[in-house]
Amino acid sequence: MATEETLVLVKPDGVARSLTGQILARIEAKGYELVDIRKFTPSRELLVEHYAEHDGKPFFEPLVEFMMSGDVVAVRARGNRVIEGFRSLAGATEPTTAAPGTIRGDLGRDWGLKVQQNLVHGSDSTESAERELGLWFG
Ligand code: DAT
Ligand code: MG
């Protein structure tokens, strides 16, 4: 079954820079459905769960601190191969090297060491999507 759902987050830098509409427009233009949308400042507990795979890495704490620094827009997006498709729309993790035409490549700024400020998150597998949607929309 190719129709699936993914979790997209517009991170605090995207919300603060008023890029939410542009980012969601790209998702819709690609043909994906915005099934549910929530805007709130996530708790440390939620973020530690969400980023559990990165626990212990040097960027873990700065990442969690950044993500709780302001409102995030969480989106349940649905469509044919949307997990892979949104990762492709988002572009590579680092805005500096993300390809032009991608969200991070077109809109992301070079923040030096602050790689975490890369505008968006997208689930990276069906297992991650199911787990993350449960956390953010459960
Ligand atoms: P992605 O968001 O592309 O899935 P990831 O899951 O490897 O990337 O990392 C999660 C976030 O953590 C990422 O969006 C930005 C931050 N990050 C990743 N690698 C980093 C690094 N080397 N230094 C600082 N922040 C990093
Ligand atoms: Mg990831």
Side-chain angles (χ1 to χ4, degrees):
M1 176 87 166
T3 295
E4 56 189 15
E5 292 185 344
T6 195
L7 175 75
V8 171
L9 301 177
V10 180
K11 296 185 178 186
D13 54 333
V15 175
R17 290 176 54 204
S18 301
L19 295 173
T20 304
Q22 284 193 56
I23 291 167
L24 299 191
R26 287 175 181 230
I27 298 171
E28 281 199 301
K30 184 77 177 175
Y32 303 133
E33 182 185 355
L34 308 178
V35 179
D36 202 352
I37 301 179
R38 297 184 63 191
K39 184 182 187 185
F40 63 102
T41 302
S43 67
R44 172 176 291 276
E45 291 67 33
L46 171 57
L47 293 166
V48 165
E49 275 294 308
H50 174 79
Y51 282 123
E53 67 171 308
H54 297 303
D55 195 359
K57 295 180 185 171
F59 61 84
F60 181 74
E61 185 58 25
L63 175 62
V64 168
E65 290 285 336
F66 164 64
M67 290 294 291
M68 47 190 289
S69 68
D71 278 353
V72 164
V73 172
V75 181
R76 179 191 291 274
R78 181 184 293 160
N80 191 54
R81 297 175 69 193
V82 66
I83 297 171
E84 186 181 6
F86 178 75
R87 299 274 299 181
S88 176
L89 278 185
T93 304
E94 268 192 283
T96 301
T97 53
T102 65
I103 293 166
R104 288 163 171 169
D106 287 349
L107 307 174
R109 291 178 180 167
D110 181 358
W111 292 106
L113 295 177
K114 298 180 183 172
V115 178
Q116 68 268 24
Q117 301 195 19
N118 58 2
L119 297 174
V120 290
H121 166 84
S123 308
D124 62 11
S125 66
T126 50
E127 295 74 24
S128 301
E130 192 172 330
R131 189 182 74 83
E132 294 172 3
L133 285 167
L135 284 174
W136 292 81
F137 287 98

